[in-house]
Amino acid sequence: MEVWRAATERVEVPKKVVATAVRYTLEELAVSAPGRSVEVRVPPFAAVQCVPGPQHTRGTPTNVVETDAQTWLALATGELTWQQAEASGALRSSGIRADLSPHLPLA
């Protein structure tokens, strides 16, 4: 995570470092907002279920958040707000529970 934060040109951060940071922050989200009502996807690195509420068990979840790794890490660290990410189109969410802004930033 620190390597990603310290990088001035984030596109140059090794993919392995980005993958580790994404997985770590998604795990932290699942711990800080336990539940299974929202699925957060950061392809191709990871996905978690989080946020209390009705549990999703089969098919496509009704509450989904999907974004790229750079956007997710910026959200997780507070460099980008939920509203900014949505407005830019870098973040896609659906469902009434899919707003994660109360749970971000993580670090």
Side-chain angles (χ1 to χ4, degrees), residues 21-68:
V22 167
R23 290 181 187 120
Y24 172 77
T25 53
L26 285 174
E27 287 175 14
E28 289 298 307
L29 175 65
V31 168
S32 67
R36 297 190 57 145
S37 69
V38 177
E39 185 167 292
V40 182
R41 301 172 181 167
V42 183
F45 301 114
V48 296
Q49 291 185 347
C50 58
V51 181
Q55 181 176 336
H56 170 74
T57 56
R58 297 176 62 194
T60 302
T62 55
N63 298 288
V64 176
V65 173
E66 188 166 334
T67 192
D68 63 275

Side-chain angles (χ1 to χ4, degrees), residues 1-2 4-6 10 21 24-25 69-81 103-107:
M1 192 69 201
E2 294 306 316
W4 182 85
R5 275 188 177 180
R10 296 212 168 124
Y24 172 77
T25 53
Q70 298 299 330
T71 301
W72 170 251
L73 293 173
L75 286 164
T77 59
E79 292 183 12
L80 184 66
T81 68
H103 307 288
L104 297 170
L106 297 170

